[in-house]
Amino acid sequence: MKLVILGLSLSSSWGNGHATTYRALVKALAAQGCEVLFLERDVPWYAQHRDMPNPTFCRLELYESVEDLKRFAGEIASGDAVIVGSYTPDGVEVGRWARKVATGPVAFYDIDTPVTLAKLGRGDEEYLSASQIPDYDVYFSFTGGPTLARIEQEFGSPAARALYCSADPELYRPVDAPLRWDLAYLGTYSEDRQPAVDRLLIEPARQAPDMRFAVAGPGYPRSIEWPANVERIDHLAPGDHAAFYASARFSLNVTRADMAAAGYSPSVRLFEAAACGAAVISDEWEGLEAVFAPGREILTATSTGDVLAALSMSDDVRSSIGAAARRRFLAEHTPDDRAAVVVRELAAAGRRVRATARPRVAVLDRPRAALVAGGAGFLGSHLCDRLLDEGWRVTCLDNLLTGSLSNLAEALRDPRFDFLRGDVTEPLDGLLYGRLFDRVYNLACAASPPLYQADPEHTLLTSVVGTKQLLDVARANGARFLQASTSEVYGDPMVHPQPESYWGHVNATGPRACYDEGKRCAETLVFDYLRAGRGDARVARIFNTYGPRMSAADGRVVSTMIAQALAGEDLTIFGDGTQTRSFCYVDDLIRGLMALMECAEPIDGAVNLGNPDEFTVAELAERVILATGSRSRTVSKRLPVDDPKRRRPDISRATEVLGWRPETDLETGLSATVAWFRRTSAVADAQAEMA
Ligand code: NAD
């Protein structure tokens, strides 16, 4: 499940209980396989006090304003679910926007339910408005019990569910520490809680001057007169909480007044203390018994006398209460238990959303999203760059067999770009789970003969199984599909130049067949998909293309010759050099691919994309020597099996239907390619690989 959470803070636990709650929950969600993006408003207070700026269990991103938040629209739209938390700055607007953009369920997570309901009662809509509650698919509430029925009946929530807080068992566990205090309390100052703190800690401290007490937490006014036996600690980092609990014989738990009044509202501190095996003395409220058994797992107190009586208990009783609380915590209240509630309820909400077929308004609002299989290769990486330039969100799926991340250096810096390492012959559901695409480009397949012949079976399956699977992805998304086919489907052609209507002359048993026949079969799959009415798809028959990012070592004629010329080596010509090729510059080709994909009219049949200017291989060698200024000569080698003798596209169809034709002549394209080869270490890499 891909989940986006918009919450108050994950990065800073200073002065809020939200961060530790989110940390425990998100970590457990991640452990259960959820991919979480946490979006936090960058505000000065938290910026100055970040105690977890780089969580390892999720991606944390900061945003400046609601406007700035909109750059995450694509991720919200493609996520499986969204959660908006209480006290999120501009929460009403953020929630409405998330509701509009998301395509899956959107939940509200109220870490402050009684406060929220009290606010709504007096018309204060700081982070939630009453009118938007019915629009949240689930209302996760820190308060359980009868309040849930109220949220559903009075406010119209379709599903109000208790989601109590918890504590991270790795951080909150029994530790060894010398006993320093008889009673310790950990909590930020709050006016409504202070009378209980006075009654249950300060007054007992006065009455038991021989005992030691501690109060940790920020915000306490200077006017409070602390007895001499009460130690004050202003801020205690979460990493020090366990030692704090271990240093006291008893821990005090005081619940905010409105939470105590609502009942069924256990505080974070209650679970943290229990997880540490602390013997907790808690104030009393309805529903406490639903969480811990009073008298056995927890002690309760309403008066100073109750506290003093508890403090006089033997260490054996005290330890057994702490141990029982920890057992109950581990059995029912761990973050894993809470994460399971979230996953279960969001999945159920997702089913409800799908059943009522909410119109996917978001598809219109979010940046359009493209999947580029084979996007790390020569052509694929140029396509990714061009799509990003034109405002697309791009996911590249590649096994890096012949492609490289260095081709994607620029794209990887763009937040709208995702790289997924995967093989199109393997199941794709898990890898692509929860992503939405409007376009699926299939360029996955090694294109250079020595590389595709290295593992012919895998090459064939890449074209056949890969194309079938990517067509399924397109179908599931309602996305348009484009297959990068090849002039090789014409084999060693008997018709010249080759129009799309030519059926080809291909050897089905030779060493090139894994590529040629694989591509032919992929075309068959696409046209059967179209005939069956499963969706919109296009096929580009690409002719020889060259340009920056070709690998010098992959055996393709242009890159091989440039690498040889720059290294001062003889240029290899296979056969007598009279065989012809037409060379299309990469920018022209990518423009053609995108024009074909974006053509509004359905396209009947394949479309040739290539440059019709035909050159012999010997002429190409001369041009390369000229463009590089090299002193290299040419040398002949035996023609490989099934090497086509003539290759030139008839592009009248592309020109007619797409208004496309190449614009870069060979001289210009070669000089840009040579410049790139000079700039990069491509030649050196090739030599290293050849050595
Ligand atoms: P390339 O080898 O540079 O790129 C192919 C990419 O696909 C690589 O990044 C590779 O790692 C990836 N890939 C291969 N098998 C995969 C698999 N099973 N799963 C996932 N990824 C896989 O080749 P290119 O020149 O960029 O060609 C791209 C596409 O265009 C290919 O389908 C090719 O057949 C077609 N094509 C290219 C030309 C050309 O002149 N460049 C001509 C005709 C057709």
Side-chain angles (χ1 to χ4, degrees), residues 112-115 117 141-148 150-151 162-164 255-267 270 283-291:
D112 310 88
T113 311
V115 180
L117 298 185
S141 166
F142 242 45
T143 299
T147 301
L148 298 176
R150 196 180 151 209
I151 295 169
L163 182 61
Y164 293 139
T255 310
R256 294 283 300 259
D258 33 23
M259 291 173 82
Y264 295 87
S265 304
S267 68
L270 186 58
D283 55 348
E284 279 186 6
W285 33 269
E286 196 190 339
L288 173 60
E289 68 287 353
V291 190

Side-chain angles (χ1 to χ4, degrees), residues 390-518:
E390 298 203 359
W392 289 79
R393 226 201 111 68
V394 177
T395 300
C396 164
L397 168 66
D398 202 299
N399 63 359
L400 299 182
L401 183 71
T402 54
S404 155
L405 287 181
S406 62
N407 288 338
L408 295 169
E410 258 175 64
L412 285 164
R413 281 195 288 273
D414 193 315
R416 295 164 306 149
F417 180 79
D418 278 331
F419 175 77
L420 300 176
R421 187 166 185 170
D423 193 306
V424 296
T425 64
E426 302 289 334
L428 299 177
D429 282 0
L431 201 61
L432 299 179
Y433 182 74
R435 290 173 190 265
L436 291 177
F437 302 110
D438 304 291
R439 301 287 184 263
V440 175
Y441 286 90
N442 180 17
L443 278 76
C445 189
S448 118
L451 298 184
Y452 71 63
Q453 286 168 16
D455 185 349
E457 188 178 307
H458 182 256
T459 302
L460 186 74
L461 293 177
T462 293
S463 280
V464 180
V465 177
T467 302
K468 159 80 177 109
Q469 298 214 101
L470 290 164
L471 281 167
D472 289 345
V473 171
R475 188 180 183 196
N477 279 266
R480 196 177 286 166
F481 180 89
L482 185 141
Q483 170 66 12
S485 187
T486 169
S487 53
E488 301 292 338
V489 299
Y490 301 123
D492 189 2
M494 313 291 277
V495 169
H496 199 74
Q498 295 86 51
E500 290 87 352
S501 55
Y502 177 52
W503 287 2
H505 179 233
V506 180
N507 177 357
T509 56
R512 299 173 79 103
C514 60
Y515 183 75
D516 302 1
E517 294 293 0

Side-chain angles (χ1 to χ4, degrees), residues 268-286:
V268 183
R269 303 287 178 232
L270 186 58
F271 292 117
E272 289 175 355
C276 290
V280 177
I281 304 174
S282 173
D283 55 348
E284 279 186 6
W285 33 269
E286 196 190 339

